[in-house]
Amino acid sequence: MAEFISLRVAYDRLTDGGREGNAYNWYRRDAQRSGYISLGQGSQLTTSGPIRVTVHKAGRQWMVSESDFENALAERRSVAVELRQITEDYENRRLAVASGQVRTTWGGYSVSRDFHFVWNDMDAYRRRSSGHWRCNTCWKRAATEHEKPECHTCSDWGGCGSECTLSGIVCTDCGTRKDL
Ligand SMILES: [Zn+2]
Ligand SMILES: [Zn+2]
C-alpha cells in the first residue's frame, strides 16, 4: 500500500529544509494548476520529459506518494550528475550528442554535423557574445561566412536576432566546411 506524505514534508526534503530552490508557494501553485509538481527537467540524453510527481488533495492538504516522490528526487540527483558529466566531457573535448542541443553548467552547445555552436550564459546575458562555432575535430574556433542576403526583418528593422546572413562555417585549421 502506498504511503503518502504532505507536500510540505516533500518540500522540506526537496529543498533541504527550504534553504534552496523555489518557494513553497511555487510548488503549491504547480499542484493547484496541474495536479502534479515539477522537479525540473529530466535527462538530456534520453527522451524523458520533465520530472513530475502527481499530487492529490486530502482535506485541505496536498499529498504525494512517498515512493513516487523519492524516485523523482533520485532522478533529479542523477540529472545533476549527468549535467556535470556533460560539462566535464566538453572540457575534455567530447561531445555528448551527435546532433542537437545540450546544456552545461555554464551554458550549452548545439551540434550540427562537423561543427558545434557553443555559448556562455553569462556572456549572453551581458550581451558580450551570443556564442561562436567550433570545429568538432580540432576544436578550433571556426570562421563564418555571411553572404546570404539579410531577411526582411533585418532590412526593414535591423537585427532579427538569428544569423540569417550566415552562408558557411569553415575551419581554417583542417579545412572542414559546412554550407548553409
Ligand atoms: Zn535577419
Ligand atoms: Zn577543424
Side-chain angles (χ1 to χ4, degrees):
M1 202 189 128
E3 295 286 332
F4 293 95
I5 55 174
S6 71
L7 184 58
R8 173 59 81 175
V9 168
Y11 174 75
D12 285 342
R13 286 188 200 174
L14 174 65
T15 61
D16 190 21
R19 286 194 291 273
E20 56 175 78
N22 296 307
Y24 176 68
N25 278 341
W26 191 89
Y27 293 98
R28 229 181 35 151
R29 271 201 301 275
D30 212 16
Q32 190 90 47
R33 191 176 50 225
S34 50
Y36 53 78
I37 53 168
S38 299
L39 272 58
Q41 290 300 313
S43 165
Q44 299 193 71
L45 304 181
T46 68
T47 50
S48 67
I51 307 167
R52 289 170 174 170
V53 186
T54 307
V55 293
H56 69 271
K57 216 160 195 183
R60 292 171 56 84
Q61 286 247 61
W62 285 108
M63 305 296 285
V64 296
S65 147
E66 182 166 28
S67 59
D68 285 357
F69 181 73
E70 286 299 329
N71 287 341
L73 270 190
E75 191 181 344
R76 197 174 194 245
R77 279 191 290 271
S78 79
V79 166
V81 169
E82 181 190 271
L83 179 67
R84 285 197 296 275
Q85 187 63 52
I86 288 170
T87 307
E88 193 186 311
D89 283 351
Y90 188 83
E91 313 302 337
N92 292 315
R93 303 189 172 186
R94 276 198 303 271
L95 298 170
V97 288
S99 75
Q101 186 173 318
V102 283
R103 281 174 291 112
T104 62
T105 55
W106 37 255
Y109 61 85
S110 177
V111 184
S112 180
R113 284 201 258 155
D114 299 321
F115 297 92
H116 64 273
F117 187 81
V118 58
W119 68 90
N120 180 294
D121 287 337
M122 202 43 99
D123 286 346
Y125 176 73
R126 291 182 181 144
R127 296 175 186 230
R128 280 204 301 238
S129 164
S130 57
H132 61 263
W133 289 94
R134 266 179 199 277
C135 175
N136 294 353
T137 312
C138 31
W139 223 255
K140 290 268 160 51
R141 188 169 176 151
T144 51
E145 296 167 352
H146 294 266
E147 278 156 22
K148 280 193 188 172
E150 46 180 31
C151 71
H152 287 299
T153 308
C154 279
S155 54
D156 293 348
W157 307 97
C160 67
S162 74
E163 292 190 282
C164 63
T165 60
L166 184 65
S167 56
I169 306 163
V170 192
C171 176
T172 50
D173 232 60
C174 69
T176 302
R177 68 170 295 130
K178 174 183 156 88
D179 292 305
L180 294 123

